[in-house]
Amino acid sequence: QVELEESGGESVQAGGTLTLSCKIGGVTYSSYCMAYFRQAAGKERERVAGIFTGRGSGYYADSVQGRFTISHDRSARTLYLQMTNLNAEDTGMYYCSADLGVGADYCYNRWMSQGYKYWGQGTQVTVSP
């Protein structure tokens, strides 16, 4: 049973920095897909960032490119999303997601379609002006 334990969401002021964490459990593989998505109140869920843990380089939505950094600690099986220069448009529920498919292309395509199999409960990020 794959489990995703999320943490790190809180209220911050615009311009601030925040790091989200997501620990994956119940997985014996060393390479898999992980990502963050977010959903603001009254809006559809959108992509934020993703990564194939076997290769390490992440991909980002245009809205966060240059401000957010996704990384993965293999030994800790934990995904991190470092968010800098936050603004009010970054407010929302952030969801960690994972898929046990393998390969950078598979992970990216699944991220684009938001088709990951496993989802966390979400952690709230609120950015005040």
Side-chain angles (χ1 to χ4, degrees):
Q1 180 75 13
V2 176
E3 294 181 348
L4 299 171
E5 182 180 344
E6 303 183 63
S7 62
E10 61 181 68
S11 296
V12 296
Q13 289 192 327
T17 298
L18 196 60
T19 298
L20 305 182
S21 300
C22 176
K23 185 177 179 65
I24 187 169
V27 177
T28 57
Y29 312 124
S30 60
S31 299
Y32 36 85
C33 316
M34 293 192 79
Y36 275 100
F37 301 84
R38 68 186 181 189
Q39 186 168 21
K43 295 186 177 181
E44 294 186 354
R45 188 177 63 198
E46 62 178 359
R47 297 180 296 272
V48 177
I51 192 168
F52 169 52
T53 64
R55 181 170 296 178
S57 57
Y59 26 87
Y60 303 89
D62 291 343
S63 60
V64 307
Q65 181 77 48
R67 299 189 297 122
F68 291 12
T69 302
I70 194 167
S71 61
H72 180 258
D73 183 327
R74 281 189 140 191
S75 60
R77 294 188 180 277
T78 300
L79 181 73
Y80 300 98
L81 182 69
Q82 183 183 40
M83 306 183 290
T84 65
N85 194 21
L86 287 160
N87 58 61
E89 286 68 40
D90 295 318
T91 293
M93 185 68 77
Y94 282 69
Y95 296 95
C96 176
S97 184
D99 194 290
L100 301 186
V102 177
D105 290 344
Y106 174 91
C107 292
Y108 179 74
N109 290 334
R110 282 289 190 176
W111 178 71
M112 288 294 290
S113 66
Q114 299 193 38
Y116 280 21
K117 185 173 181 179
Y118 303 101
W119 293 82
Q121 294 300 308
T123 186
Q124 178 68 34
V125 173
T126 302
V127 183
S128 57

